[in-house]
Amino acid sequence: MFWFQQGLCFLPAFLVIWSSSTFIVSYIIALFRGDVDVIFPYISDTGAKPPESCIFGLMTFISACAGISTIYARYKFVEKLSADTGMVSPRLNKTALVLGLLSCLGMCIVATFQETLVTAVHDIGAILFFVSGVLYIILQSVISFRAYPFGSSICVCRVRVGIAILAVLAFFPTFICAFYVKQTTLHRDKGDEDYPFHVASAACEWIVAFSFICFFLTYIDDFKLFTLRVKTENVE
């Protein structure tokens, strides 16, 4: 049996690979077409113009669907641990589920409403994605420690806390610096007054996004431990 055939570990593995490809592929296409600058464009900038916008939208939507599946599977796994051990509060688990689903909803909004066409809605989706995503990985880090020694090892728990701290530290500069960015063009000049704020905001945005990906990477070993079944009953 291959490693990806154990339990449901193929879910976070697919999510990590596909999400990474989404960001990288759209960036490479936009770069070769000359639509963005080499140095730290915003992630949304790489999917602002066709054809990369079409690829970015489709791949981001698939990432959101994979995220929903992974987040729900994690919820059911923790729910089972909670029922067997009583070490994790069901309310905490449900709160994490809601935040995770809201983050995926934000991804869908970002994928559907392009930055250059419907800026306000796109920004709302981005804020929903990042805020809910950061809160989700914080709560999952807490859940991991509360569930220990069931589920994850202490090393994985510490790695998750480290990733969550990195995401939080990068989250605030992303939005604070973005507040001082006045220009909304895809190409920037180093002489622009707000250029340092743009670079700082965009760089931190990439860090937060890939911290999410790295966090889901830590799910792989956990997901080897369980599987889900759909039970069908006839309605009388």
Side-chain angles (χ1 to χ4, degrees):
M1 178 182 292
F2 296 103
W3 65 268
F4 55 83
Q5 294 177 302
Q6 301 177 41
L8 292 176
C9 71
F10 67 90
L11 279 178
F14 174 78
L15 176 59
V16 167
I17 294 171
W18 188 267
S19 297
S20 301
S21 301
T22 299
F23 299 142
I24 295 171
V25 168
S26 60
Y27 170 73
I28 291 175
I29 295 175
L31 188 63
F32 273 90
R33 286 177 50 84
D35 293 333
V36 296
D37 297 325
V38 177
I39 304 298
F40 290 117
Y42 282 113
I43 294 174
S44 297
D45 289 351
T46 66
K49 291 185 177 181
E52 59 265 25
S53 60
C54 305
I55 297 172
F56 178 81
L58 175 61
M59 295 186 71
T60 301
F61 179 77
I62 294 174
S63 292
C65 293
I68 291 172
S69 302
T70 304
I71 289 167
Y72 180 73
R74 169 69 179 177
Y75 163 77
K76 296 300 291 184
F77 175 56
V78 174
E79 184 182 56
K80 177 62 176 174
L81 286 179
S82 178
D84 293 343
T85 65
M87 300 182 71
V88 179
S89 167
R91 181 177 297 178
L92 180 64
N93 191 30
K94 289 180 180 178
T95 302
L97 172 66
V98 171
L99 288 171
L101 295 180
L102 285 175
S103 183
C104 292
L105 174 61
M107 288 183 67
C108 291
I109 294 174
V110 167
T112 306
F113 298 92
Q114 295 178 10
E115 177 187 36
T116 54
L117 298 179
V118 197
T119 304
V121 179
H122 178 91
D123 290 345
I124 290 172
I127 292 172
L128 182 63
F129 168 64
F130 283 111
V131 172
S132 300
V134 169
L135 292 175
Y136 172 77
I137 65 175
I138 290 174
L139 289 189
Q140 284 298 338
S141 298
V142 173
I143 289 172
S144 298
F145 270 103
R146 290 194 176 183
Y148 179 79
F150 304 98
S152 306
S153 66
I154 190 65
C155 180
V156 171
C157 292
R158 290 170 178 168
V159 169
R160 287 175 183 167
V161 170
I163 294 172
I165 292 173
L166 176 63
V168 171
L169 292 177
F171 170 80
F172 289 103
T174 299
F175 288 95
I176 293 174
C177 292
F179 179 78
Y180 294 98
V181 176
K182 304 304 180 182
Q183 298 186 36
T184 58
T185 56
L186 298 181
H187 292 284
R188 304 303 306 269
D189 188 277
K190 292 182 179 180
D192 294 338
E193 184 178 350
D194 60 350
Y195 182 77
F197 294 105
H198 165 77
V199 172
S201 177
C204 288
E205 182 190 48
W206 282 89
I207 292 173
V208 175
F210 274 93
S211 68
F212 292 164
I213 293 174
C214 291
F215 193 89
F216 283 112
L217 184 64
T218 68
Y219 278 3
I220 291 178
D221 280 341
D222 289 6
F223 276 50
K224 292 179 181 179
L225 304 176
F226 71 98
T227 186
L228 295 177
R229 292 187 177 90
V230 178
K231 184 178 180 181
T232 304
E233 295 181 352
N234 292 325
V235 178
E236 296 181 358

